[in-house]
Amino acid sequence: MPPVRPTRRSLIAGGLGAAAALAVPLSVSAPAAAADLVPIRLAGPTGPLPVGAVELHLVDPSRTDPWSGQPREVMVTVTYPAVDVHDRRMLPWLPAGAERALKARFGGAVDGYALPQTHSADRAPARPGRRPVLLHSPGYRSDRTFNTLLIEELASWGYVVAAVDHPYDSSEVEFPDGRVVVNRPDDASDEARTAAVLVRAADLRFVLDALAVLDRGGNPDAERRPLPRGLRGTLDLTRVGAFGHSRGGAASALVMYLDERVRAGIDLDGALYGPVVEHGLDLPFLLMDTAIHDGLNQDGSWPPFWRHLRDWHRCLRLADADHNSFTDIVAVAPQVPEPVRQQLQAGTIPADRAVAAVRATVRAFFDLQLCGRPDTGHLLRGASQRYPEILYIAG
């Protein structure tokens, strides 16, 4: 029997990420030798600046993790414009323990594949300058690296991006001591999902506090691991945005409602939860969906949120897309076996077109809202000749 594809309702309402969609037992095979692995590759960023990144382990003693009962801890990758990346190790898409956990979810179907390397140089010296800061939250049962294509693109054009894993809600989170925490599925009720999004929003606020320490020259990493040279003073925390895919989009909206430091946000195809749905925002917000989701007509959380947006707001659509077309999964899908590809919800849009269109739209929004650069390509009006895949829905 072929694997069963999740329904649109379970996919959107639960914010289901790629890893969950792939958690289907397939034939188990023995691990392949490293030399025999088929490489999966991701395209590099197109901006003029090389990209560096540093991983942080942050522990919040003021909060108790609702799943573990211990102080809440998160893993974060901070990606930024770098001075020089030559002769430096590029971070893997997933560290080794998390990669093994993810492959186990495939039941052996991708054991013969090497997950990609990023184009982010580990702890490369930071390029001088005050940079706008973006917080990123991934989808439910997804990982913070699943939007690497977008994150590296933003950094290559001058942004600092802090991508956050939310342990027990994200798919697999590896800590510096080798522990790998995997997702604990919620009960799919609105109450459980709202509670999870509230935890995510608190995580993002805590990370923003840690970024302030980083900008002052402190080291918020729990193990005090070395930081990149030159990062101090480069984070402009008066220009902060948030964006996320699926449940991460809900967290982005909610953190804006709860924390006035976050000035603009994007929800990439996610249902919304929490008080922001009924109260809305006085700040710029972009919704992006697919025809499968059709958020303003088929997602009960989008219309009330939309009615209560009182600043710049727009709803755009990625044509011929499915839920994971906003993530790296759209580029991974053509490189894996057909039985796996069928589970990836990547749509029929060509991968290179999806990646280019999402990158350009997200950057155009933050360029406008955080940097004051006009949308000269008319992307945010769904009228770009260069990116016809971006459609205007409302605004």
Side-chain angles (χ1 to χ4, degrees):
M1 179 181 295
V4 177
R5 189 184 194 277
T7 65
R8 185 198 63 80
R9 181 176 179 181
S10 68
L11 185 68
I12 300 298
L16 188 61
L22 293 166
V24 178
L26 301 171
S27 59
V28 178
S29 59
D36 298 328
L37 296 176
V38 177
I40 297 173
R41 294 185 172 91
L42 298 176
T46 69
L49 306 177
V51 174
V54 60
E55 295 177 320
L56 301 175
H57 174 209
L58 305 178
V59 180
D60 184 356
S62 71
R63 290 190 296 147
T64 299
D65 190 303
W67 292 278
S68 71
Q70 301 299 313
R72 180 65 172 170
E73 55 184 340
V74 297
M75 289 298 297
V76 180
T77 300
V78 180
T79 306
Y80 53 88
V83 174
D84 184 12
V85 300
H86 295 301
D87 300 322
R88 286 190 174 268
R89 180 181 79 101
M90 298 295 160
L91 288 175
W93 197 55
L94 286 179
E99 177 175 344
R100 287 191 295 271
L102 179 60
K103 286 185 172 181
R105 293 180 178 271
F106 289 84
V110 293
D111 284 357
Y113 290 77
L115 298 188
Q117 296 293 307
T118 71
H119 296 83
S120 302
D122 186 17
R123 289 176 288 189
R127 183 172 291 266
R130 296 289 284 173
R131 313 286 181 186
V133 175
L134 304 176
L135 302 173
H136 173 67
S137 181
Y140 173 61
R141 296 190 80 179
S142 295
D143 298 319
R144 70 185 188 274
T145 56
F146 280 18
N147 266 102
T148 292
L149 285 163
L150 177 53
I151 289 167
E152 289 182 338
E153 179 75 0
L154 291 164
S156 78
W157 288 99
Y159 289 88
V160 175
V161 186
V164 184
D165 260 336
H166 307 278
Y168 304 102
D169 194 357
S170 295
S171 184
E172 43 274 313
V173 183
E174 183 170 348
F175 293 100
D177 61 5
R179 286 176 298 133
V180 178
V181 171
V182 298
N183 172 268
R184 292 187 184 176
D186 58 38
D187 64 12
S189 67
D190 282 349
E191 291 78 10
R193 289 169 176 163
T194 298
V197 173
L198 284 165
V199 172
R200 282 175 175 249
D203 288 345
L204 295 177
R205 299 183 74 186
F206 171 59
V207 169
L208 196 50
D209 292 340
L211 294 178
V213 173
L214 200 64
D215 188 59
R216 293 194 298 267
N219 188 347
D221 184 71
E223 287 76 25
R224 299 295 189 270
R225 292 172 296 176
L227 298 173
R229 295 196 313 274
L231 201 56
R232 178 179 181 175
T234 62
L235 283 69
D236 185 351
L237 297 175
T238 68
R239 294 186 291 164
V240 178
F243 69 101
H245 173 244
S246 196
R247 187 173 288 186
S252 298
L254 185 55
V255 76
M256 289 179 66
Y257 176 77
L258 297 173
D259 197 317
E260 63 183 8
R261 293 176 294 178
V262 187
R263 307 300 301 167
I266 301 176
D267 175 6
L268 301 172
D269 208 41
L272 296 157
Y273 298 94
V276 71
V277 174
E278 295 298 332
H279 293 282
L281 295 167
D282 293 314
L283 297 164
F285 202 85
L286 174 64
L287 291 164
M288 293 189 72
D289 72 358
T290 67
I292 295 170
H293 181 191
D294 192 11
L296 291 177
N297 292 313
Q298 297 192 63
D299 186 324
S301 67
W302 278 35
F305 175 71
W306 181 260
R307 289 194 298 270
H308 293 95
L309 291 175
R310 294 170 293 276
D311 202 312
W312 187 104
H313 56 285
R314 198 146 295 166
C315 180
L316 301 177
R317 177 166 295 166
L318 183 61
D320 301 321
D322 206 334
H323 190 53
N324 289 319
S325 299
F326 296 96
T327 75
D328 294 358
I329 301 306
V330 74
V332 171
Q335 305 180 62
V336 296
E338 182 63 31
V340 175
R341 194 179 311 158
Q342 293 174 1
Q343 301 300 309
L344 287 176
Q345 290 87 50
T348 59
I349 184 172
D352 61 337
R353 295 304 305 170
V355 171
V358 172
R359 280 175 160 182
T361 306
V362 171
R363 182 162 72 91
F365 172 79
F366 286 123
D367 280 357
L368 175 66
Q369 304 300 345
L370 297 181
C371 305
R373 302 187 188 112
D375 176 30
T376 55
H378 310 297
L379 251 174
L380 301 177
R381 286 186 274 170
S384 170
Q385 294 182 352
R386 188 174 180 183
Y387 301 104
E389 300 86 358
I390 301 298
L391 309 177
Y392 174 90
I393 302 300

PDB file of all heavy atoms in Angstrom, residues 164-198:
ATOM      1  N   VAL A 164      15.132  29.752  15.016  1.00  0.00           N
ATOM      2  CA  VAL A 164      14.939  29.148  16.340  1.00  0.00           C
ATOM      3  C   VAL A 164      14.306  27.773  16.215  1.00  0.00           C
ATOM      4  O   VAL A 164      13.274  27.609  15.556  1.00  0.00           O
ATOM      5  CB  VAL A 164      14.044  30.054  17.212  1.00  0.00           C
ATOM      6  CG1 VAL A 164      13.927  29.486  18.626  1.00  0.00           C
ATOM      7  CG2 VAL A 164      14.589  31.484  17.237  1.00  0.00           C
ATOM      8  N   ASP A 165      14.917  26.783  16.863  1.00  0.00           N
ATOM      9  CA  ASP A 165      14.270  25.483  17.049  1.00  0.00           C
ATOM     10  C   ASP A 165      13.517  25.497  18.369  1.00  0.00           C
ATOM     11  O   ASP A 165      14.051  25.962  19.394  1.00  0.00           O
ATOM     12  CB  ASP A 165      15.309  24.360  17.072  1.00  0.00           C
ATOM     13  CG  ASP A 165      15.414  23.638  15.737  1.00  0.00           C
ATOM     14  OD1 ASP A 165      14.446  23.668  14.960  1.00  0.00           O
ATOM     15  OD2 ASP A 165      16.473  23.028  15.479  1.00  0.00           O
ATOM     16  N   HIS A 166      12.302  24.958  18.364  1.00  0.00           N
ATOM     17  CA  HIS A 166      11.453  24.914  19.552  1.00  0.00           C
ATOM     18  C   HIS A 166      11.373  23.451  20.006  1.00  0.00           C
ATOM     19  O   HIS A 166      10.557  22.675  19.471  1.00  0.00           O
ATOM     20  CB  HIS A 166      10.058  25.448  19.226  1.00  0.00           C
ATOM     21  CG  HIS A 166      10.074  26.804  18.577  1.00  0.00           C
ATOM     22  ND1 HIS A 166      10.199  27.973  19.288  1.00  0.00           N
ATOM     23  CD2 HIS A 166       9.979  27.176  17.266  1.00  0.00           C
ATOM     24  CE1 HIS A 166      10.176  29.005  18.451  1.00  0.00           C
ATOM     25  NE2 HIS A 166      10.044  28.538  17.221  1.00  0.00           N
ATOM     26  N   PRO A 167      12.195  23.027  20.963  1.00  0.00           N
ATOM     27  CA  PRO A 167      12.240  21.611  21.336  1.00  0.00           C
ATOM     28  C   PRO A 167      10.865  21.052  21.695  1.00  0.00           C
ATOM     29  O   PRO A 167      10.039  21.721  22.321  1.00  0.00           O
ATOM     30  CB  PRO A 167      13.177  21.597  22.543  1.00  0.00           C
ATOM     31  CG  PRO A 167      14.072  22.783  22.313  1.00  0.00           C
ATOM     32  CD  PRO A 167      13.192  23.823  21.697  1.00  0.00           C
ATOM     33  N   TYR A 168      10.642  19.820  21.262  1.00  0.00           N
ATOM     34  CA  TYR A 168       9.415  19.039  21.448  1.00  0.00           C
ATOM     35  C   TYR A 168       8.304  19.472  20.491  1.00  0.00           C
ATOM     36  O   TYR A 168       7.347  18.735  20.287  1.00  0.00           O
ATOM     37  CB  TYR A 168       8.915  19.071  22.897  1.00  0.00           C
ATOM     38  CG  TYR A 168       9.942  18.598  23.878  1.00  0.00           C
ATOM     39  CD1 TYR A 168      10.679  19.501  24.643  1.00  0.00           C
ATOM     40  CD2 TYR A 168      10.196  17.239  24.032  1.00  0.00           C
ATOM     41  CE1 TYR A 168      11.649  19.064  25.539  1.00  0.00           C
ATOM     42  CE2 TYR A 168      11.168  16.794  24.920  1.00  0.00           C
ATOM     43  CZ  TYR A 168      11.891  17.709  25.671  1.00  0.00           C
ATOM     44  OH  TYR A 168      12.854  17.265  26.546  1.00  0.00           O
ATOM     45  N   ASP A 169       8.401  20.660  19.884  1.00  0.00           N
ATOM     46  CA  ASP A 169       7.462  21.117  18.869  1.00  0.00           C
ATOM     47  C   ASP A 169       8.125  21.027  17.495  1.00  0.00           C
ATOM     48  O   ASP A 169       7.520  20.592  16.522  1.00  0.00           O
ATOM     49  CB  ASP A 169       7.037  22.548  19.183  1.00  0.00           C
ATOM     50  CG  ASP A 169       5.821  23.011  18.394  1.00  0.00           C
ATOM     51  OD1 ASP A 169       5.328  22.240  17.563  1.00  0.00           O
ATOM     52  OD2 ASP A 169       5.364  24.145  18.611  1.00  0.00           O
ATOM     53  N   SER A 170       9.397  21.424  17.412  1.00  0.00           N
ATOM     54  CA  SER A 170      10.174  21.172  16.208  1.00  0.00           C
ATOM     55  C   SER A 170      10.388  19.667  16.046  1.00  0.00           C
ATOM     56  O   SER A 170      10.051  18.876  16.929  1.00  0.00           O
ATOM     57  CB  SER A 170      11.525  21.890  16.290  1.00  0.00           C
ATOM     58  OG  SER A 170      11.364  23.296  16.304  1.00  0.00           O
ATOM     59  N   SER A 171      10.967  19.284  14.935  1.00  0.00           N
ATOM     60  CA  SER A 171      11.085  17.864  14.627  1.00  0.00           C
ATOM     61  C   SER A 171      12.164  17.170  15.444  1.00  0.00           C
ATOM     62  O   SER A 171      11.894  16.284  16.251  1.00  0.00           O
ATOM     63  CB  SER A 171      11.356  17.658  13.134  1.00  0.00           C
ATOM     64  OG  SER A 171      11.377  16.282  12.819  1.00  0.00           O
ATOM     65  N   GLU A 172      13.423  17.546  15.226  1.00  0.00           N
ATOM     66  CA  GLU A 172      14.522  16.960  15.972  1.00  0.00           C
ATOM     67  C   GLU A 172      15.513  18.072  16.278  1.00  0.00           C
ATOM     68  O   GLU A 172      15.940  18.791  15.375  1.00  0.00           O
ATOM     69  CB  GLU A 172      15.213  15.821  15.213  1.00  0.00           C
ATOM     70  CG  GLU A 172      15.471  16.073  13.742  1.00  0.00           C
ATOM     71  CD  GLU A 172      14.287  15.723  12.880  1.00  0.00           C
ATOM     72  OE1 GLU A 172      13.715  14.648  13.064  1.00  0.00           O
ATOM     73  OE2 GLU A 172      13.930  16.544  12.007  1.00  0.00           O
ATOM     74  N   VAL A 173      15.855  18.235  17.538  1.00  0.00           N
ATOM     75  CA  VAL A 173      16.722  19.322  17.976  1.00  0.00           C
ATOM     76  C   VAL A 173      17.926  18.705  18.674  1.00  0.00           C
ATOM     77  O   VAL A 173      17.782  18.002  19.673  1.00  0.00           O
ATOM     78  CB  VAL A 173      15.992  20.280  18.938  1.00  0.00           C
ATOM     79  CG1 VAL A 173      16.905  21.440  19.318  1.00  0.00           C
ATOM     80  CG2 VAL A 173      14.691  20.782  18.315  1.00  0.00           C
ATOM     81  N   GLU A 174      19.101  18.976  18.126  1.00  0.00           N
ATOM     82  CA  GLU A 174      20.330  18.439  18.726  1.00  0.00           C
ATOM     83  C   GLU A 174      21.026  19.529  19.536  1.00  0.00           C
ATOM     84  O   GLU A 174      21.234  20.647  19.048  1.00  0.00           O
ATOM     85  CB  GLU A 174      21.275  17.917  17.645  1.00  0.00           C
ATOM     86  CG  GLU A 174      22.534  17.284  18.216  1.00  0.00           C
ATOM     87  CD  GLU A 174      23.368  16.550  17.186  1.00  0.00           C
ATOM     88  OE1 GLU A 174      22.858  16.327  16.061  1.00  0.00           O
ATOM     89  OE2 GLU A 174      24.514  16.196  17.499  1.00  0.00           O
ATOM     90  N   PHE A 175      21.415  19.187  20.768  1.00  0.00           N
ATOM     91  CA  PHE A 175      22.113  20.107  21.658  1.00  0.00           C
ATOM     92  C   PHE A 175      23.614  19.826  21.649  1.00  0.00           C
ATOM     93  O   PHE A 175      24.047  18.764  21.194  1.00  0.00           O
ATOM     94  CB  PHE A 175      21.541  19.994  23.070  1.00  0.00           C
ATOM     95  CG  PHE A 175      20.117  20.490  23.176  1.00  0.00           C
ATOM     96  CD1 PHE A 175      19.055  19.600  23.173  1.00  0.00           C
ATOM     97  CD2 PHE A 175      19.850  21.848  23.247  1.00  0.00           C
ATOM     98  CE1 PHE A 175      17.744  20.053  23.254  1.00  0.00           C
ATOM     99  CE2 PHE A 175      18.538  22.311  23.329  1.00  0.00           C
ATOM    100  CZ  PHE A 175      17.491  21.416  23.330  1.00  0.00           C
ATOM    101  N   PRO A 176      24.418  20.763  22.141  1.00  0.00           N
ATOM    102  CA  PRO A 176      25.877  20.593  22.068  1.00  0.00           C
ATOM    103  C   PRO A 176      26.405  19.346  22.771  1.00  0.00           C
ATOM    104  O   PRO A 176      27.463  18.824  22.393  1.00  0.00           O
ATOM    105  CB  PRO A 176      26.409  21.860  22.754  1.00  0.00           C
ATOM    106  CG  PRO A 176      25.344  22.873  22.532  1.00  0.00           C
ATOM    107  CD  PRO A 176      24.052  22.111  22.613  1.00  0.00           C
ATOM    108  N   ASP A 177      25.690  18.838  23.766  1.00  0.00           N
ATOM    109  CA  ASP A 177      26.155  17.631  24.458  1.00  0.00           C
ATOM    110  C   ASP A 177      25.755  16.345  23.738  1.00  0.00           C
ATOM    111  O   ASP A 177      25.997  15.243  24.244  1.00  0.00           O
ATOM    112  CB  ASP A 177      25.647  17.602  25.900  1.00  0.00           C
ATOM    113  CG  ASP A 177      24.120  17.579  26.005  1.00  0.00           C
ATOM    114  OD1 ASP A 177      23.444  17.489  24.958  1.00  0.00           O
ATOM    115  OD2 ASP A 177      23.610  17.648  27.144  1.00  0.00           O
ATOM    116  N   GLY A 178      25.141  16.468  22.563  1.00  0.00           N
ATOM    117  CA  GLY A 178      24.764  15.297  21.785  1.00  0.00           C
ATOM    118  C   GLY A 178      23.333  14.839  21.968  1.00  0.00           C
ATOM    119  O   GLY A 178      22.866  13.960  21.235  1.00  0.00           O
ATOM    120  N   ARG A 179      22.613  15.406  22.935  1.00  0.00           N
ATOM    121  CA  ARG A 179      21.208  15.046  23.103  1.00  0.00           C
ATOM    122  C   ARG A 179      20.409  15.438  21.869  1.00  0.00           C
ATOM    123  O   ARG A 179      20.622  16.501  21.301  1.00  0.00           O
ATOM    124  CB  ARG A 179      20.603  15.773  24.310  1.00  0.00           C
ATOM    125  CG  ARG A 179      21.017  15.269  25.668  1.00  0.00           C
ATOM    126  CD  ARG A 179      20.408  16.143  26.754  1.00  0.00           C
ATOM    127  NE  ARG A 179      20.870  17.516  26.666  1.00  0.00           N
ATOM    128  CZ  ARG A 179      20.096  18.593  26.718  1.00  0.00           C
ATOM    129  NH1 ARG A 179      18.771  18.456  26.835  1.00  0.00           N
ATOM    130  NH2 ARG A 179      20.614  19.808  26.643  1.00  0.00           N
ATOM    131  N   VAL A 180      19.492  14.588  21.462  1.00  0.00           N
ATOM    132  CA  VAL A 180      18.574  14.899  20.371  1.00  0.00           C
ATOM    133  C   VAL A 180      17.151  14.780  20.905  1.00  0.00           C
ATOM    134  O   VAL A 180      16.730  13.693  21.336  1.00  0.00           O
ATOM    135  CB  VAL A 180      18.773  13.967  19.167  1.00  0.00           C
ATOM    136  CG1 VAL A 180      17.755  14.300  18.072  1.00  0.00           C
ATOM    137  CG2 VAL A 180      20.195  14.092  18.618  1.00  0.00           C
ATOM    138  N   VAL A 181      16.442  15.883  20.917  1.00  0.00           N
ATOM    139  CA  VAL A 181      15.062  15.930  21.391  1.00  0.00           C
ATOM    140  C   VAL A 181      14.155  15.907  20.176  1.00  0.00           C
ATOM    141  O   VAL A 181      14.292  16.744  19.278  1.00  0.00           O
ATOM    142  CB  VAL A 181      14.821  17.207  22.231  1.00  0.00           C
ATOM    143  CG1 VAL A 181      13.337  17.374  22.537  1.00  0.00           C
ATOM    144  CG2 VAL A 181      15.631  17.161  23.509  1.00  0.00           C
ATOM    145  N   VAL A 182      13.239  14.956  20.145  1.00  0.00           N
ATOM    146  CA  VAL A 182      12.335  14.849  19.005  1.00  0.00           C
ATOM    147  C   VAL A 182      10.945  15.340  19.395  1.00  0.00           C
ATOM    148  O   VAL A 182      10.613  15.501  20.573  1.00  0.00           O
ATOM    149  CB  VAL A 182      12.269  13.402  18.470  1.00  0.00           C
ATOM    150  CG1 VAL A 182      13.639  12.956  17.984  1.00  0.00           C
ATOM    151  CG2 VAL A 182      11.735  12.458  19.533  1.00  0.00           C
ATOM    152  N   ASN A 183      10.141  15.557  18.373  1.00  0.00           N
ATOM    153  CA  ASN A 183       8.806  16.101  18.558  1.00  0.00           C
ATOM    154  C   ASN A 183       7.928  15.198  19.419  1.00  0.00           C
ATOM    155  O   ASN A 183       7.977  13.971  19.312  1.00  0.00           O
ATOM    156  CB  ASN A 183       8.160  16.288  17.180  1.00  0.00           C
ATOM    157  CG  ASN A 183       6.698  16.667  17.264  1.00  0.00           C
ATOM    158  OD1 ASN A 183       5.845  15.795  17.245  1.00  0.00           O
ATOM    159  ND2 ASN A 183       6.426  17.944  17.354  1.00  0.00           N
ATOM    160  N   ARG A 184       7.130  15.826  20.270  1.00  0.00           N
ATOM    161  CA  ARG A 184       6.064  15.128  20.994  1.00  0.00           C
ATOM    162  C   ARG A 184       4.740  15.624  20.429  1.00  0.00           C
ATOM    163  O   ARG A 184       4.342  16.770  20.684  1.00  0.00           O
ATOM    164  CB  ARG A 184       6.139  15.404  22.500  1.00  0.00           C
ATOM    165  CG  ARG A 184       7.354  14.786  23.166  1.00  0.00           C
ATOM    166  CD  ARG A 184       7.286  14.943  24.676  1.00  0.00           C
ATOM    167  NE  ARG A 184       8.487  14.431  25.312  1.00  0.00           N
ATOM    168  CZ  ARG A 184       8.735  14.509  26.616  1.00  0.00           C
ATOM    169  NH1 ARG A 184       7.835  15.095  27.415  1.00  0.00           N
ATOM    170  NH2 ARG A 184       9.844  14.024  27.121  1.00  0.00           N
ATOM    171  N   PRO A 185       4.063  14.822  19.629  1.00  0.00           N
ATOM    172  CA  PRO A 185       2.858  15.300  18.937  1.00  0.00           C
ATOM    173  C   PRO A 185       1.817  15.842  19.906  1.00  0.00           C
ATOM    174  O   PRO A 185       1.591  15.287  20.979  1.00  0.00           O
ATOM    175  CB  PRO A 185       2.349  14.048  18.218  1.00  0.00           C
ATOM    176  CG  PRO A 185       3.553  13.184  18.063  1.00  0.00           C
ATOM    177  CD  PRO A 185       4.382  13.443  19.287  1.00  0.00           C
ATOM    178  N   ASP A 186       1.199  16.964  19.531  1.00  0.00           N
ATOM    179  CA  ASP A 186       0.110  17.491  20.354  1.00  0.00           C
ATOM    180  C   ASP A 186      -1.182  16.774  19.995  1.00  0.00           C
ATOM    181  O   ASP A 186      -1.214  15.914  19.110  1.00  0.00           O
ATOM    182  CB  ASP A 186      -0.013  19.019  20.206  1.00  0.00           C
ATOM    183  CG  ASP A 186      -0.238  19.466  18.766  1.00  0.00           C
ATOM    184  OD1 ASP A 186      -0.966  18.773  18.030  1.00  0.00           O
ATOM    185  OD2 ASP A 186       0.324  20.505  18.381  1.00  0.00           O
ATOM    186  N   ASP A 187      -2.263  17.138  20.668  1.00  0.00           N
ATOM    187  CA  ASP A 187      -3.521  16.401  20.483  1.00  0.00           C
ATOM    188  C   ASP A 187      -4.393  16.986  19.375  1.00  0.00           C
ATOM    189  O   ASP A 187      -5.557  16.613  19.229  1.00  0.00           O
ATOM    190  CB  ASP A 187      -4.307  16.323  21.792  1.00  0.00           C
ATOM    191  CG  ASP A 187      -4.750  17.697  22.298  1.00  0.00           C
ATOM    192  OD1 ASP A 187      -4.654  18.688  21.539  1.00  0.00           O
ATOM    193  OD2 ASP A 187      -5.197  17.775  23.453  1.00  0.00           O
ATOM    194  N   ALA A 188      -3.837  17.918  18.605  1.00  0.00           N
ATOM    195  CA  ALA A 188      -4.501  18.504  17.432  1.00  0.00           C
ATOM    196  C   ALA A 188      -5.684  19.402  17.781  1.00  0.00           C
ATOM    197  O   ALA A 188      -6.401  19.852  16.891  1.00  0.00           O
ATOM    198  CB  ALA A 188      -4.954  17.423  16.443  1.00  0.00           C
ATOM    199  N   SER A 189      -5.904  19.686  19.067  1.00  0.00           N
ATOM    200  CA  SER A 189      -6.972  20.607  19.437  1.00  0.00           C
ATOM    201  C   SER A 189      -6.484  22.045  19.301  1.00  0.00           C
ATOM    202  O   SER A 189      -5.279  22.324  19.349  1.00  0.00           O
ATOM    203  CB  SER A 189      -7.412  20.360  20.882  1.00  0.00           C
ATOM    204  OG  SER A 189      -6.375  20.710  21.786  1.00  0.00           O
ATOM    205  N   ASP A 190      -7.422  22.979  19.140  1.00  0.00           N
ATOM    206  CA  ASP A 190      -7.045  24.384  19.087  1.00  0.00           C
ATOM    207  C   ASP A 190      -6.366  24.823  20.378  1.00  0.00           C
ATOM    208  O   ASP A 190      -5.448  25.658  20.348  1.00  0.00           O
ATOM    209  CB  ASP A 190      -8.279  25.255  18.833  1.00  0.00           C
ATOM    210  CG  ASP A 190      -8.711  25.238  17.373  1.00  0.00           C
ATOM    211  OD1 ASP A 190      -7.940  24.721  16.526  1.00  0.00           O
ATOM    212  OD2 ASP A 190      -9.817  25.727  17.074  1.00  0.00           O
ATOM    213  N   GLU A 191      -6.806  24.270  21.498  1.00  0.00           N
ATOM    214  CA  GLU A 191      -6.200  24.642  22.782  1.00  0.00           C
ATOM    215  C   GLU A 191      -4.737  24.229  22.832  1.00  0.00           C
ATOM    216  O   GLU A 191      -3.869  25.006  23.261  1.00  0.00           O
ATOM    217  CB  GLU A 191      -6.968  23.986  23.930  1.00  0.00           C
ATOM    218  CG  GLU A 191      -8.370  24.528  24.140  1.00  0.00           C
ATOM    219  CD  GLU A 191      -9.379  23.989  23.137  1.00  0.00           C
ATOM    220  OE1 GLU A 191      -9.039  23.035  22.380  1.00  0.00           O
ATOM    221  OE2 GLU A 191     -10.507  24.513  23.090  1.00  0.00           O
ATOM    222  N   ALA A 192      -4.439  23.002  22.383  1.00  0.00           N
ATOM    223  CA  ALA A 192      -3.062  22.526  22.406  1.00  0.00           C
ATOM    224  C   ALA A 192      -2.190  23.323  21.440  1.00  0.00           C
ATOM    225  O   ALA A 192      -1.045  23.674  21.754  1.00  0.00           O
ATOM    226  CB  ALA A 192      -3.013  21.038  22.062  1.00  0.00           C
ATOM    227  N   ARG A 193      -2.735  23.625  20.284  1.00  0.00           N
ATOM    228  CA  ARG A 193      -1.965  24.377  19.303  1.00  0.00           C
ATOM    229  C   ARG A 193      -1.730  25.807  19.777  1.00  0.00           C
ATOM    230  O   ARG A 193      -0.632  26.364  19.597  1.00  0.00           O
ATOM    231  CB  ARG A 193      -2.685  24.359  17.958  1.00  0.00           C
ATOM    232  CG  ARG A 193      -2.627  22.985  17.300  1.00  0.00           C
ATOM    233  CD  ARG A 193      -3.542  22.881  16.113  1.00  0.00           C
ATOM    234  NE  ARG A 193      -3.396  21.582  15.454  1.00  0.00           N
ATOM    235  CZ  ARG A 193      -4.257  21.070  14.602  1.00  0.00           C
ATOM    236  NH1 ARG A 193      -5.354  21.747  14.306  1.00  0.00           N
ATOM    237  NH2 ARG A 193      -4.037  19.901  14.049  1.00  0.00           N
ATOM    238  N   THR A 194      -2.736  26.407  20.390  1.00  0.00           N
ATOM    239  CA  THR A 194      -2.560  27.752  20.930  1.00  0.00           C
ATOM    240  C   THR A 194      -1.481  27.761  22.000  1.00  0.00           C
ATOM    241  O   THR A 194      -0.626  28.656  22.035  1.00  0.00           O
ATOM    242  CB  THR A 194      -3.884  28.282  21.497  1.00  0.00           C
ATOM    243  OG1 THR A 194      -4.851  28.358  20.442  1.00  0.00           O
ATOM    244  CG2 THR A 194      -3.708  29.658  22.111  1.00  0.00           C
ATOM    245  N   ALA A 195      -1.515  26.759  22.887  1.00  0.00           N
ATOM    246  CA  ALA A 195      -0.498  26.673  23.939  1.00  0.00           C
ATOM    247  C   ALA A 195       0.899  26.541  23.335  1.00  0.00           C
ATOM    248  O   ALA A 195       1.858  27.170  23.807  1.00  0.00           O
ATOM    249  CB  ALA A 195      -0.799  25.491  24.854  1.00  0.00           C
ATOM    250  N   ALA A 196       1.035  25.724  22.287  1.00  0.00           N
ATOM    251  CA  ALA A 196       2.337  25.537  21.653  1.00  0.00           C
ATOM    252  C   ALA A 196       2.821  26.827  21.001  1.00  0.00           C
ATOM    253  O   ALA A 196       4.014  27.164  21.081  1.00  0.00           O
ATOM    254  CB  ALA A 196       2.258  24.418  20.616  1.00  0.00           C
ATOM    255  N   VAL A 197       1.913  27.569  20.371  1.00  0.00           N
ATOM    256  CA  VAL A 197       2.306  28.820  19.730  1.00  0.00           C
ATOM    257  C   VAL A 197       2.691  29.860  20.771  1.00  0.00           C
ATOM    258  O   VAL A 197       3.610  30.665  20.567  1.00  0.00           O
ATOM    259  CB  VAL A 197       1.190  29.318  18.798  1.00  0.00           C
ATOM    260  CG1 VAL A 197       1.503  30.707  18.256  1.00  0.00           C
ATOM    261  CG2 VAL A 197       1.012  28.348  17.633  1.00  0.00           C
ATOM    262  N   LEU A 198       2.027  29.852  21.916  1.00  0.00           N
ATOM    263  CA  LEU A 198       2.425  30.755  23.011  1.00  0.00           C
ATOM    264  C   LEU A 198       3.830  30.447  23.493  1.00  0.00           C
ATOM    265  O   LEU A 198       4.613  31.363  23.784  1.00  0.00           O
ATOM    266  CB  LEU A 198       1.421  30.650  24.160  1.00  0.00           C
ATOM    267  CG  LEU A 198       0.086  31.369  23.942  1.00  0.00           C
ATOM    268  CD1 LEU A 198      -0.950  30.899  24.949  1.00  0.00           C
ATOM    269  CD2 LEU A 198       0.271  32.882  24.048  1.00  0.00           C
TER     270      LEU A 198
END
